[in-house]
Amino acid sequence: MDWYQNVFDLIDFRSFSNLWFWIALAVTWSTASHWVLGVPWDMAVRAHKGKNAQSIIDFEDMVRINTNRILFIAHESGLLLSGMVAFGMTVLVLLGFVYDNEFSQAVFLLGMPLTLVGLLSVRTATRIQAEALSGAALIKRLTRHRLIIQVIGVVSLFMTAMWGMYQNMNAGVLG
């Protein structure tokens, strides 16, 4: 019986008191900030320094490939994806905040800001392609995109931490 208790303590669905949730949240926002439009940020830094012409070419090629991929997915299945994401977020809101399921609250607080990042990525990819950006203008656009992602991440982390502390204090009072 002790073994089962250890397993269920490790896989605790009270997300806000679980260390694994906070680790996953930190890794998610770190990854979202590093991979801007699917391009690793260190490539942008190397291209910005401009010491090697090949690094600029590689960066522009990587951005072109990823913007084409993002826009292809948006054009081919954007409506279906929008409907599925809206359905999923609605289910999470209902389960989490109407039926008071903490796991659904945690997934919503992780997923909703990432949905905003996804929409922002489609918008940025559209602008990059429409304006045929390259060189310093492309780096500037991706820098702005990354900054907005970081702001969304900071606000998301703050709101999740506040909601998590509120939930943990209520669990302490009620439990």
Side-chain angles (χ1 to χ4, degrees):
M1 192 76 164
D2 188 40
W3 184 81
Y4 287 116
Q5 187 61 38
N6 288 338
V7 169
F8 285 119
D9 285 344
L10 183 65
I11 308 170
D12 183 15
F13 283 108
R14 288 201 53 250
S15 301
F16 299 113
S17 62
N18 193 331
L19 179 64
W20 293 107
F21 171 72
W22 296 105
I23 291 171
L25 189 68
V27 167
T28 298
W29 284 110
S30 174
T31 303
S33 177
H34 178 70
W35 292 88
V36 181
L37 290 182
V39 179
W41 188 246
D42 61 295
M43 285 185 81
V45 171
R46 277 196 307 273
H48 179 67
K49 289 180 181 176
K51 294 179 182 177
N52 182 358
Q54 187 62 42
S55 64
I56 297 170
I57 293 168
D58 291 346
F59 171 70
E60 289 178 349
D61 287 344
M62 189 78 147
V63 171
R64 180 184 49 78
I65 289 167
N66 283 310
T67 55
N68 286 341
R69 183 180 58 84
I70 289 169
L71 293 177
F72 175 78
I73 291 169
H75 291 298
E76 290 296 315
S77 58
L79 185 61
L80 180 63
L81 281 173
S82 296
M84 289 171 43
V85 168
F87 174 77
M89 290 293 121
T90 302
V91 167
L92 289 172
V93 165
L94 290 175
L95 287 174
F97 299 100
V98 175
Y99 293 106
D100 203 32
N101 181 305
E102 190 174 309
F103 183 72
S104 298
Q105 292 172 2
V107 174
F108 176 79
L109 289 171
L110 181 63
M112 188 61 199
L114 289 175
T115 302
L116 296 175
V117 170
L119 291 172
L120 180 68
S121 295
V122 171
R123 182 174 152 244
T124 302
T126 302
R127 282 189 168 180
I128 288 171
Q129 229 178 36
E131 298 171 12
L133 297 179
S134 64
L138 179 60
I139 294 169
K140 184 177 178 183
R141 174 67 67 188
L142 260 78
T143 302
R144 186 176 305 133
H145 179 74
R146 182 174 189 244
L147 179 65
I148 295 170
I149 288 173
Q150 289 174 332
V151 168
I152 291 171
V154 167
V155 170
S156 170
L157 286 168
F158 178 76
M159 292 181 70
T160 303
M162 291 297 110
W163 185 257
M165 283 190 286
Y166 172 75
Q167 289 292 1
N168 286 336
M169 286 190 292
N170 275 348
V173 170
L174 300 175

